[in-house]
Amino acid sequence: MRCIGCGVHIQTEDETKLGYAPPSALGKEEIICQRCFRLKHYNEIQDVSLTDDDFLKILHGIGQSQALVVKLVDIFDFNGSWLPGLHRFVGNNPILLVGNKVDLLPKSVKYPKLIQWMKQSAKELGLKPVDICLISAVKGIGMQRVMEAIEQYRDGKNVYVVGCTNVGKSTFINRIIREVTGEGDVITTSYFPGTTLDMIEIPLDDGAAIYDTPGIINHHQMAHFVDKKDLKTITPKREIHPKVYQLNEQQTLFFGGLARLDYVKGGRRSFVCHFSNDLLIHRTKREHADELYEKQLGELLQPPKKSYADTFPPLVAHSFTIKESKTDIVFSGLGWVTCNEPGTQVVAYVPKGVNVLLRKSLI
Ligand code: GDP
């Protein structure tokens, strides 16, 4: 028995696996799997994630065809959601860089400046996109513009949307489905050569299609170190309100119990913190910081919550001297602290496995 939508073998045992259909559906003349059912009736897709190997195969496949690649990044977690090496795999195909979740940035951020910043950052990471768009898939900001850009750069060819998990790819694709097809149109899933994965195919007027590729897991994201509830706390839901701390040398800021910043040397300075509004920031003297962390992890300093505190990986120190004015100290997947003056010495702490880096200030 096969699904009339995607051709997958129908099974009725495991709801989380491909090809599931409820037993009641078996009596019908034409059987459709749950995934296609949702697509057909609700125009809604769910994300699937996959291993690095399969992902590389997909990228390789894209490189061998002629297509426009739409690369989605989370603007709040730019580096953490970046897919490294994409340009090496997609051949000569143009890449349209799309920054999602602009709704989280403070209103004071100017889009042209942000686009310039993205261009520069992409260049430093080895990517030269044909164009850059800013959107909020959730709020629907910038969708018109990005659809126009896709139409312009695809030049009659297929489109592949790539991005790591959690950048908002499903939300983005669901919006496109609504804009492109409207209700009632049948959306097929398509089997990608070389992998065991099918992709969502959104047919376009001229016979080409937009393909949603599965998301790749970025192992350095803070999201992997916290449970679902804590993830809610650290993921901003609304526009973030920067918090300014005037610090003296030898003072420490804790970001919940997930990260820490020691201000070592440089006179009295201000540090502008950009994190989820729900994440508690705690200031203390540097000499007390170790002890406080030991005693208060999971209590005063949370997330992680108490039950996770014992198994939470130890924080690892990374020392930096700020070289340029207006530099962000980025805690991957959590947020960043902007430091305005060069010469400032800091030590940033993150759980082992999470990235911390410096970049030219985004704001
Ligand atoms: P995927 O894993 O890339 O498919 O990402 P999802 O579409 O499932 O989104 C991941 C999370 O980001 C969800 O909590 C979404 O609500 C959220 N999200 C997606 N797009 C936006 C956006 O434009 N703004 C904000 N603030 N959150 C978004």
Side-chain angles (χ1 to χ4, degrees):
M1 263 180 301
R2 288 175 179 275
C3 165
I4 57 153
C6 64
V8 73
H9 276 288
I10 294 286
Q11 52 94 9
T12 53
E13 273 89 54
D14 191 343
E15 224 177 309
T16 63
K17 296 231 167 80
L18 221 55
Y20 176 81
S24 61
L26 295 186
K28 309 226 170 83
E29 208 164 282
E30 292 185 322
I31 301 171
I32 184 164
C33 75
Q34 181 149 288
R35 192 155 170 250
C36 287
F37 184 87
R38 291 188 57 148
L39 253 175
K40 193 162 180 244
H41 296 282
Y42 305 112
N43 272 355
E44 200 175 274
I45 60 148
Q46 287 165 307
D47 202 28
V48 272
S49 61
L50 82 169
T51 62
D52 302 19
D53 259 9
D54 277 338
F55 190 67
L56 287 185
K57 275 187 204 153
I58 287 186
L59 290 186
H60 194 69
I62 296 174
Q64 292 185 333
S65 57
Q66 289 218 333
L68 169 69
V69 177
V70 175
K71 172 176 174 152
L72 209 58
V73 290
D74 176 348
I75 202 73
F76 187 76
D77 184 16
F78 186 83
N79 303 80
S81 66
W82 189 259
L83 289 171
L86 181 67
H87 55 288
R88 285 202 303 275
F89 297 104
V90 300
N92 293 323
N93 288 323
I95 299 175
L96 175 68
L97 184 61
V98 177
N100 187 28
K101 311 195 187 179
V102 279
D103 54 298
L104 296 179
L105 297 178
K107 289 266 182 324
S108 57
V109 176
K110 300 278 179 288
Y111 285 7
K113 201 182 154 212
L114 185 53
I115 285 176
Q116 199 50 41
W117 179 91
M118 282 174 73
K119 198 171 176 179
Q120 182 61 30
S121 303
K123 194 174 161 203
E124 281 160 21
L125 291 161
L127 188 82
K128 227 177 142 216
V130 283
D131 208 344
I132 297 176
C133 294
L134 290 172
I135 63 160
S136 165
V138 155
K139 297 263 160 76
I141 301 168
M143 287 305 294
Q144 196 63 37
R145 160 90 177 80
V146 80
M147 293 302 295
E148 280 164 17
I150 288 175
E151 206 40 49
Q152 178 186 348
Y153 295 111
R154 78 179 182 88
D155 200 17
K157 300 187 196 83
N158 288 334
V159 181
Y160 290 93
V161 182
V162 300
C164 75
T165 51
N166 221 35
V167 296
K169 201 156 56 61
S170 313
T171 315
F172 176 63
I173 292 284
N174 281 323
R175 272 215 178 256
I176 292 187
I177 289 176
R178 254 172 272 150
E179 307 235 342
V180 173
T181 66
E183 223 164 314
D185 282 337
V186 178
I187 298 136
T188 54
T189 58
S190 107
Y191 184 78
F192 201 78
T195 71
T196 53
L197 273 139
D198 49 3
M199 289 199 259
I200 301 296
E201 180 183 317
I202 307 162
L204 297 166
D205 291 342
D206 53 7
I210 297 181
Y211 293 93
D212 173 37
T213 68
I216 180 93
I217 295 169
N218 193 326
H219 302 280
H220 299 293
Q221 281 171 304
M222 188 69 87
H224 302 299
F225 295 87
V226 295
D227 73 345
K228 274 214 173 105
K229 201 145 169 263
D230 285 345
L231 187 59
K232 276 203 169 147
T233 309
I234 67 169
T235 306
K237 285 159 285 294
R238 280 160 276 116
E239 175 191 341
I240 49 167
H241 301 299
K243 295 192 183 93
V244 186
Y245 285 84
Q246 301 289 340
L247 296 188
N248 295 317
E249 293 178 359
Q250 300 300 319
Q251 282 192 314
T252 291
L253 294 178
F254 278 105
F255 308 102
L258 299 174
R260 156 181 169 186
L261 182 69
D262 287 7
Y263 174 32
V264 180
K265 204 158 181 284
R268 193 169 163 80
R269 295 271 156 95
S270 60
F271 293 82
V272 189
C273 302
H274 302 87
F275 295 91
S276 161
N277 302 333
D278 298 335
L279 182 70
L280 288 178
I281 302 179
H282 188 88
R283 181 206 313 235
T284 188
K285 282 194 175 142
R286 194 180 179 208
E287 56 184 328
H288 299 151
D290 286 341
E291 196 189 333
L292 184 82
Y293 193 74
E294 205 165 292
K295 284 199 178 133
Q296 293 292 339
L297 182 65
E299 306 273 1
L300 183 65
L301 307 176
Q302 62 161 302
K305 63 170 80 69
K306 189 77 192 148
S307 49
Y308 277 80
D310 292 340
T311 53
F312 193 67
L315 297 185
V316 181
H318 305 259
S319 299
F320 297 102
T321 300
I322 310 290
K323 299 226 168 58
E324 285 175 54
S325 61
K326 288 201 164 260
T327 295
D328 291 340
I329 306 154
V330 183
F331 302 83
S332 193
L334 193 63
W336 67 91
V337 178
T338 307
C339 178
N340 288 325
E341 285 105 330
T344 307
Q345 284 179 31
V346 296
V347 184
Y349 293 76
V350 277
K352 197 164 184 264
V354 174
N355 283 342
V356 55
L357 55 102
L358 299 186
R359 71 177 180 201
K360 193 171 155 40
S361 177
L362 180 143
I363 293 176

